[in-house]
Amino acid sequence: MHEAYEVTHLLNASVQIETIAAYDGNLLLGTRQGHLLMYSLLMNKDTQKYELKMIRYCKNFSKKPIQQIEVIAEDKLLLCLTDNVLSSYDMNGLNFPLVKTFSDTKGASLFALDNKSATSMTGESNTIVHLCVAVRRKLQLYYGKNGEFKKHIFDFTIPDVPKVMALGQQYLCVGFKGEYTFFDLSSHNSTDLFPPSSSKSLDPTIAKYSETSFLLGRDNTSVLVEEAKKKSSEIKKTMKRIDDPTISKYSESSFLLGRDNTSGEVEDAKQETVEIKKTIKWTDAPLAVVWDEPFILGLLQDTVVVQTVEPPLFIQTFVELNKARLMYRCKRGLIFVSSVGQVWCLTSVDITKQRKQLLKDKHFQIAIDLMKLSDSSPEEKKQTIDSIQMLHALDLFDSKQYSQSMKEFIKLKTDPAEVIKLIPELDNKFEGKENVLKGKDLENALNALIEYLVELRFQIGTNTEGSSKSESNQRNVAQQLELIDTTLLKCYLQTNDAFVAPLLRLNNCRLEEAEKTLHQHGKHSELIILYQTKGQHTKALQLLREQASQPDSSLKGYHRTKNYLQHLGAEHLNLIFKFSDWILKEHPEEGLKIFTEDIVEVENLPRPKVLDFLLREHDTLVIPYLEHVIHTWNDTHDLFHDALINMYREKITDKKANCTEEELQHIKSKLVAFLEKSSHYTPERVILHFPNDTLFEERAVILGKLGRHEQALAIYVQILGDVDRAIRYCDNVWTRNDKTVDVYVTLMRILVNPEQNNSLTGPLATVPRHPKASTPDLETALSILEKHADKISPIKALSVLPDSVPLARLSSFLESALQTQLTMKRRTQVLKGLLYAEHTQVQEMKQFHESKSIVINDYNVCPVCKKRFGNQSAFVRYPSGDIVHYSCKLDK
């Protein structure tokens, strides 16, 4: 059994002890005869036992029995209740001389005090004392400082004479026969704690546990209660739409508050005065209870029992304390016990000795609490407590309390590598090791370890966020994250593999270990994520290629490979070319999306290199690729425009191509349309590759781009025989605002004098002419003249026409031409008049400004440089009247 205290019999008194008090190893006895005795507790060096040495005996202290005594050691004051009146006495005086009698306390039966040390703003240390005196059915409150007491205006009215009292931080706890009441020292409200006790013959007991909690006796138990924190109002529900802010009383404790578009019922939260924390059981109702951290001592009939509150353990029993009825805690580890005629003391056993026994009994928390109270240095305390906590954590793990064990490791900041070793199943070479976990135990341990590692990971992230660490610290953090995430990976694979993929994306797992683990579990999709985050793209793509043909694989097909390649980016272009090859061969249209999808990485690929790759390896995909680049991405680079024209041309002229006539016509129409619409290809380079014996319409379009309109028109008229197409050509030239070129006149010349046209030179000269082009077509020429009279120069047109054309045939053209010239003349005259008027206005403005004089003397200063104007200074005058140096005008 653990021994927390040793008992020593100190005194057989010749007087009847009524009350006791103690401080600093001194014991005071108040007797029924009114005597006051003061002893000092000493250790006998010979017997190694405690003894009492009397230091004062005041036989005539009071004529009445001394009911209660307390000492305020800091102020050297003794408070004594005798003859139902409270008085204070000087502890320094020989016979405890009277200092003050509290005159308002006549009829008092009990008092309680609470003293605290406080430091003023000047650094002076003071003792603040709160005193409560029970006077009949009133509770009087006093405030004391430096030995002086002042009475509060407010008194509590109580229903009965109290048996016991204790002062807390917020409340005064009062014990009556069978019940307890808490009095709020701020609001002056009172609250009954529990229903009346079934046995009202038992006197209540109160032991102060902390500044905010008490141990209250109730039958055969002590109930630990704590002052509750105040709660704010709570919103019960919301209802209906409203417009303006409103407040309506709903009940005595609730209101309807309007906010935005709702009306909410707000109710005062029910204020709980105390919270019941623990219940400590005794074999009998205790006469007195004291708290001597970490132990609670209860004085039962002739017996003192020692227990702990947390964890609840029975520790020790002291018997044969004959008729003991009083118990008083002097200081930590020293408790006095008294009967009417005897005195004992309980002294704490050496903490080191206790700790050894507690550790042997696996009472780790008590050992820690005792170590905190020891006189060891802070460094020694911390080291010892850490070692105890480690033993506690390991014991919890061995007891299969895995979650609680991990919480202890978190508190200790234990090296995660040591914690992970506790579960040998996470080691790839755990076969044959002892203490192997199985079944539910393994599952619980892994789940607890996951909670530990996640919390540890969060703490590491919080500690490193926003802080500048040295390179060595950063390396250490990285190593810890590697260990944590690699272990988490192993745990998730055995508990919940849905967390594996998100974990791998954090990119902290050790590559080789994680790779081996994922292979063992057949997690190919997760392996791809691992390779991707670690930059092992070749491994990832090789695995994807292998699994693509496996019918039962989650990576079956080309989609994952395509998606992977699309996100690699330009820096891995050669890898993209290498592993896209099989998709381009087996699924050309889908494979091409590797280079054409609307993804940032795809759009930023170097397009010339992609084009070169497709030309070398997959020429059938070049045209759709170029069409996407030009028409979807709107790329204007002449390389792609020239290449698309050449690919169209080759497709049309390649006799080996297995294309139907319909497909050829479609391609040809696309070529013509592209040649006409695109302005980004180089016609002088493109035309060199066009054949001379075919594709005449396409050649004509290119010649038009080169400005060789006569040749283009000659092809349309003399080779293709398509006059309408030639007219549309002229319309297009005019529409492009190229009005300096007389294309209509050129066309008329070709139509009127086909024999004299020599524009088709070189290889085109031998090309057979269209049958329609062999004879002059005067009617078409005159039709063009009449329809486009406003676009044709009359003089040039008349020079082309033969003299045999009747003048009446030209009347419409001449009238239109004359009207056009007159309109142009009138427009020019109006413009001349407007310009002259503007000129006149400018001249008048110039004269107005020149008429103003400027006087500059030696006192004028430039507002920019703050210097005077010299005789040779050039200056500028602004419309506002400011004058500055010419060189300063830009600064101005």
Side-chain angles (χ1 to χ4, degrees):
M1 181 184 293
H2 171 61
E3 293 185 359
Y5 297 92
E6 294 175 342
V7 64
T8 304
H9 183 269
L10 298 176
L11 180 68
N12 287 317
S14 59
V15 291
Q16 291 178 309
I17 301 170
E18 188 72 20
T19 181
I20 63 174
Y23 74 99
D24 296 340
N26 298 313
L27 173 67
L28 287 96
L29 304 178
T31 70
R32 192 169 297 172
Q33 295 81 6
H35 303 174
L36 183 64
L37 297 83
M38 184 173 178
Y39 296 90
S40 177
L41 185 68
L42 301 173
M43 170 68 77
N44 188 314
K45 295 182 179 178
D46 296 330
T47 62
Q48 290 298 308
K49 291 186 176 181
Y50 286 104
E51 297 177 349
L52 285 179
K53 176 183 179 183
M54 181 181 289
I55 54 178
R56 286 190 222 173
Y57 184 5
C58 187
K59 199 169 187 178
N60 300 317
F61 184 78
S62 174
K63 295 179 180 180
K64 297 287 184 178
I66 299 175
Q67 298 165 266
Q68 184 181 353
I69 53 176
E70 290 290 349
V71 177
I72 306 174
E74 294 82 358
D75 294 332
K76 301 298 181 184
L77 278 181
L78 171 68
L79 294 182
C80 177
L81 179 64
T82 180
D83 198 17
N84 299 109
V85 176
L86 180 67
S87 301
S88 62
Y89 300 85
D90 186 359
M91 294 286 294
N92 290 328
L94 180 62
N95 291 314
F96 306 100
L98 177 68
V99 175
K100 175 184 177 180
T101 297
F102 294 80
S103 58
D104 291 342
T105 63
K106 190 172 183 180
S109 59
L110 181 68
F111 71 91
L113 65 82
D114 181 45
N115 57 323
K116 300 181 181 68
S117 297
T119 304
S120 66
M121 296 180 66
T122 59
E124 183 182 0
S125 180
N126 298 310
T127 299
I128 307 299
V129 179
H130 294 280
L131 173 66
C132 178
V133 185
V135 182
R136 297 184 179 90
R137 296 196 176 188
K138 293 281 187 180
L139 296 178
Q140 298 177 2
L141 300 174
Y142 293 85
Y143 169 82
K145 182 178 179 182
N146 297 328
E148 296 291 331
F149 287 88
K150 293 182 180 179
K151 185 174 181 291
H152 284 277
I153 299 174
F154 179 81
D155 290 341
F156 286 108
T157 300
I158 53 179
D160 195 2
V161 177
K163 294 292 184 180
V164 64
M165 297 191 302
L167 279 162
Q169 181 172 289
Q170 174 77 21
Y171 294 94
L172 167 67
C173 182
V174 181
F176 301 98
K177 273 287 185 182
E179 60 182 340
Y180 296 88
T181 302
F182 262 36
F183 293 91
D184 192 322
L185 297 175
S186 299
S187 67
H188 304 151
N189 295 326
S190 63
T191 304
D192 293 334
L193 296 191
F194 350 95
S197 173
S198 59
S199 177
K200 293 194 175 183
S201 62
L202 297 175
D203 285 340
T205 61
I206 300 177
K208 195 168 180 180
Y209 186 80
S210 71
E211 287 301 319
T212 59
S213 55
F214 305 90
L215 288 159
L216 309 181
R218 181 170 172 79
D219 298 330
N220 292 352
T221 64
S222 288
V223 182
L224 176 61
V225 297
E226 185 173 8
E227 296 178 5
K229 296 179 181 178
K230 288 189 175 182
K231 299 178 182 178
S232 59
S233 298
E234 57 184 10
I235 297 175
K236 303 296 288 183
K237 57 185 175 181
T238 58
M239 63 208 80
K240 74 178 182 181
R241 293 179 61 88
I242 60 172
D243 298 319
D244 298 323
T246 61
I247 301 178
S248 302
K249 189 170 182 180
Y250 187 74
S251 70
E252 288 302 317
S253 62
S254 60
F255 301 88
L256 287 172
L257 305 183
R259 184 175 184 219
D260 298 331
N261 293 330
T262 61
S263 181
E265 180 190 342
V266 180
E267 183 176 24
D268 291 341
K270 293 182 179 179
Q271 177 62 41
E272 296 292 339
T273 304
V274 296
E275 296 175 358
I276 297 176
K277 295 292 186 180
K278 286 279 183 180
T279 300
I280 297 92
K281 295 182 179 180
W282 308 96
T283 56
D284 197 0
L287 302 174
V289 174
V290 298
W291 168 247
D292 187 37
E293 189 178 3
F295 303 109
I296 177 174
L297 292 85
L299 176 59
L300 280 63
Q301 191 71 32
D302 299 336
T303 305
V304 172
V305 176
V306 182
Q307 300 189 70
T308 56
V309 176
E310 186 60 45
L313 295 172
F314 170 79
I315 300 297
Q316 195 175 7
T317 301
F318 297 100
V319 296
E320 298 181 1
L321 302 179
N322 189 29
K323 297 182 180 179
R325 65 186 190 90
L326 301 174
M327 186 161 57
Y328 194 99
R329 179 182 181 272
C330 177
K331 60 182 179 180
R332 164 86 235 337
L334 176 59
I335 294 97
F336 289 101
V337 182
S338 167
S339 65
V340 174
Q342 297 185 75
V343 177
W344 298 267
C345 76
L346 302 179
T347 52
S348 175
V349 174
D350 179 66
I351 288 180
T352 303
K353 181 180 178 181
Q354 287 193 65
R355 188 174 70 245
K356 291 179 180 178
Q357 183 61 42
L358 288 167
L359 294 180
K360 184 179 179 181
D361 297 338
K362 296 186 178 181
H363 295 157
F364 302 102
Q365 188 57 52
I366 304 174
I368 291 171
D369 293 340
L370 280 174
M371 193 61 205
K372 290 178 181 177
L373 300 170
S374 71
D375 297 329
S376 304
S377 65
E379 295 78 11
E380 186 180 351
K381 277 187 183 181
K382 184 180 184 307
Q383 185 177 359
T384 305
I385 290 172
D386 285 351
S387 65
I388 296 172
Q389 286 179 319
M390 177 59 76
L391 291 173
H392 183 205
L394 293 171
D395 181 68
L396 287 170
F397 191 89
D398 292 339
S399 303
K400 300 182 181 181
Q401 300 180 54
Y402 304 113
S403 183
Q404 192 61 39
S405 171
M406 296 302 164
K407 290 177 182 177
E408 294 299 319
F409 287 130
I410 283 287
K411 293 177 187 175
L412 284 167
K413 298 181 180 179
T414 308
D415 183 353
E418 297 299 319
V419 179
I420 294 166
K421 287 179 182 178
L422 294 173
I423 306 179
E425 289 78 3
L426 296 175
D427 188 344
N428 293 328
K429 301 177 181 178
F430 79 93
E431 291 83 355
K433 292 188 177 181
E434 298 180 359
N435 302 322
V436 174
L437 299 173
K438 296 179 180 179
K440 196 66 178 178
D441 288 342
L442 176 59
E443 182 183 349
N444 293 337
L446 289 174
N447 286 327
L449 182 61
I450 288 171
E451 291 179 10
Y452 163 79
L453 293 172
V454 170
E455 174 63 23
L456 187 62
R457 199 181 200 291
F458 173 77
Q459 290 183 3
I460 293 173
T462 303
N463 293 336
T464 57
E465 192 174 283
S467 60
S468 56
K469 297 282 186 180
S470 65
E471 185 178 345
S472 60
N473 283 336
Q474 290 177 346
R475 187 164 52 250
N476 184 49
V477 168
Q479 290 173 350
Q480 278 196 322
L481 288 175
E482 272 191 356
L483 174 63
I484 291 170
D485 283 11
T486 304
T487 307
L488 275 173
L489 172 65
K490 296 176 180 179
C491 293
Y492 287 149
L493 285 170
Q494 297 187 58
T495 56
N496 189 348
D497 57 8
F499 293 109
V500 171
L503 175 68
L504 291 171
R505 291 189 179 96
L506 297 174
N507 194 24
N508 290 309
C509 293
R510 293 171 182 164
L511 176 61
E512 296 79 7
E513 200 169 344
E515 181 181 26
K516 183 177 181 181
T517 304
L518 290 169
H519 266 303
Q520 288 175 346
H521 287 80
K523 296 293 183 180
H524 298 117
S525 294
E526 289 76 6
L527 258 174
I528 299 302
I529 298 173
L530 174 68
Y531 289 144
Q532 190 172 22
T533 55
K534 293 295 183 181
Q536 300 292 312
H537 303 301
T538 302
K539 283 187 174 182
L541 290 165
Q542 286 174 343
L543 179 61
L544 285 168
R545 182 68 183 97
E546 293 168 3
Q547 294 296 313
S549 57
Q550 300 299 319
D552 298 329
S553 174
S554 60
L555 303 177
K556 179 185 176 183
Y558 63 88
H559 299 284
R560 288 291 297 272
T561 303
K562 181 188 77 171
N563 183 267
Y564 194 104
L565 293 170
Q566 286 174 332
H567 291 86
L568 276 180
E571 63 271 22
H572 301 289
L573 188 62
N574 290 332
L575 210 57
I576 296 173
F577 290 159
K578 178 179 178 181
F579 286 96
S580 65
D581 188 70
W582 71 271
I583 304 178
L584 291 168
K585 289 178 180 177
E586 297 179 15
H587 309 278
E589 290 185 8
E590 289 297 317
L592 186 60
K593 290 181 181 179
I594 296 169
F595 306 103
T596 60
E597 198 78 80
D598 289 334
I599 298 172
V600 175
E601 291 86 352
V602 173
E603 290 191 36
N604 290 333
L605 291 176
R607 294 168 191 174
K609 292 185 178 180
V610 174
L611 175 60
D612 181 63
F613 166 70
L614 294 175
L615 284 169
R616 286 185 288 103
E617 304 294 338
H618 304 278
D619 57 346
T620 57
L621 298 175
V622 173
I623 289 178
Y625 174 72
L626 289 172
E627 288 176 339
H628 185 88
V629 169
I630 295 169
H631 301 315
T632 303
W633 289 341
N634 300 315
D635 198 315
T636 59
H637 199 292
D638 59 355
L639 170 66
F640 306 116
H641 288 251
D642 289 355
L644 183 57
I645 292 170
N646 288 329
M647 291 305 296
Y648 282 148
R649 173 185 53 78
E650 290 179 3
K651 190 79 172 178
I652 296 169
T653 58
D654 186 5
K655 295 180 180 179
K656 296 181 181 180
N658 297 322
C659 294
T660 64
E661 185 63 28
E662 185 179 354
E663 290 174 338
L664 288 175
Q665 289 300 321
H666 178 65
I667 296 170
K668 191 172 182 181
S669 63
K670 287 202 293 185
L671 174 58
V672 172
F674 185 71
L675 288 170
E676 290 177 341
K677 292 179 181 179
S678 174
S679 59
H680 302 294
Y681 62 89
T682 50
E684 62 273 12
R685 187 161 59 233
V686 169
I687 199 171
L688 297 176
H689 303 286
F690 270 72
N692 295 313
D693 57 349
T694 186
L695 301 179
F696 298 113
E697 183 179 4
E698 291 77 2
R699 177 180 285 273
V701 176
I702 298 171
L703 289 171
K705 293 284 185 177
L706 291 169
R708 291 153 62 176
H709 303 297
E710 187 172 357
Q711 285 184 290
L713 289 170
I715 289 175
Y716 284 125
V717 176
Q718 295 186 326
I719 296 178
L720 298 175
D722 192 346
V723 177
D724 292 337
R725 183 66 181 83
I727 295 172
R728 289 201 303 275
Y729 176 88
C730 295
D731 294 339
N732 291 336
V733 173
W734 183 267
T735 303
R736 293 199 300 266
N737 295 321
D738 194 2
K739 299 179 177 59
T740 58
V741 181
D742 295 315
V743 286
Y744 291 101
V745 175
T746 303
L747 177 57
M748 290 170 59
R749 184 188 307 114
I750 294 172
L751 291 170
V752 173
N753 299 304
E755 299 297 335
Q756 297 178 9
N757 181 46
N758 298 318
S759 56
L760 296 176
T761 59
L764 292 177
T766 60
V767 176
R769 300 301 188 263
H770 194 276
K772 293 182 181 179
S774 58
T775 57
D777 190 355
L778 182 59
E779 285 302 318
T780 302
L782 291 173
S783 175
I784 293 170
L785 187 65
E786 292 173 353
K787 189 174 180 180
H788 303 283
D790 58 332
K791 305 172 186 176
I792 299 174
S793 170
I795 296 175
K796 292 182 179 179
L798 293 174
S799 66
V800 170
L801 295 173
D803 296 338
S804 59
V805 177
L807 189 60
R809 187 70 175 80
L810 300 174
S811 60
S812 176
F813 165 70
L814 292 174
E815 288 175 2
S816 176
L818 181 60
Q819 185 63 39
T820 301
Q821 293 299 319
L822 290 173
T823 301
M824 190 178 298
K825 179 182 178 182
R826 284 194 295 272
R827 187 178 298 153
T828 304
Q829 288 173 338
V830 171
L831 181 60
K832 178 181 177 184
L834 291 172
L835 291 173
Y836 180 75
E838 184 181 10
H839 174 71
T840 303
Q841 288 177 353
V842 172
Q843 289 296 321
E844 290 176 356
M845 190 179 295
K846 179 172 178 276
Q847 291 172 6
F848 170 74
H849 287 295
E850 288 178 344
S851 65
K852 291 187 177 182
S853 61
I854 301 170
V855 179
I856 298 177
N857 53 39
D858 293 339
Y859 299 103
N860 290 103
V861 177
C862 174
V864 178
C865 66
K866 310 302 181 184
K867 296 180 180 178
R868 300 182 187 278
F869 293 98
N871 293 332
Q872 303 301 322
S873 296
F875 58 87
V876 174
R877 180 184 179 276
Y878 287 94
S880 62
D882 290 344
I883 300 172
V884 300
H885 287 109
Y886 181 79
S887 59
C888 296
K889 65 172 185 167
L890 295 177
D891 294 335
K892 174 67 174 175

